[in-house]
Amino acid sequence: MFNRTVIGVATKTDLPTASTQRASRFLLSAGAAQVVEISAVTAAGVDELRSALAIRA
């Protein structure tokens, strides 16, 4: 589908109503090679996103 590797990012995972599995399934079905869940408030997942970007670059 894409001519580049796509990394999906699910944000706002710190919210109690966040449906991270649903977002991950959607991103993967849309063609993302990997999904990273992050929270800007708690910084959870930011290091994982940096690592994923460094590996794919």
Side-chain angles (χ1 to χ4, degrees), residues 2 4-9 12 14 17 22-23 25-27 33-35 38-39 43 46-47 49-51 56:
F2 299 105
R4 303 260 191 239
T5 301
V6 175
I7 299 172
V9 180
K12 299 185 180 188
D14 54 282
T17 58
R22 181 176 150 202
R25 278 194 313 268
F26 175 79
L27 290 167
Q34 178 181 356
V35 175
I38 67 166
S39 167
V46 173
D47 289 335
L49 177 59
R50 285 185 183 141
S51 295
R56 304 283 183 192

Side-chain angles (χ1 to χ4, degrees), residues 3 6 10 12 19 22 24 28-29 34 36 47:
N3 61 357
V6 175
K12 299 185 180 188
S19 179
R22 181 176 150 202
S24 294
L28 290 170
S29 70
Q34 178 181 356
V36 180
D47 289 335

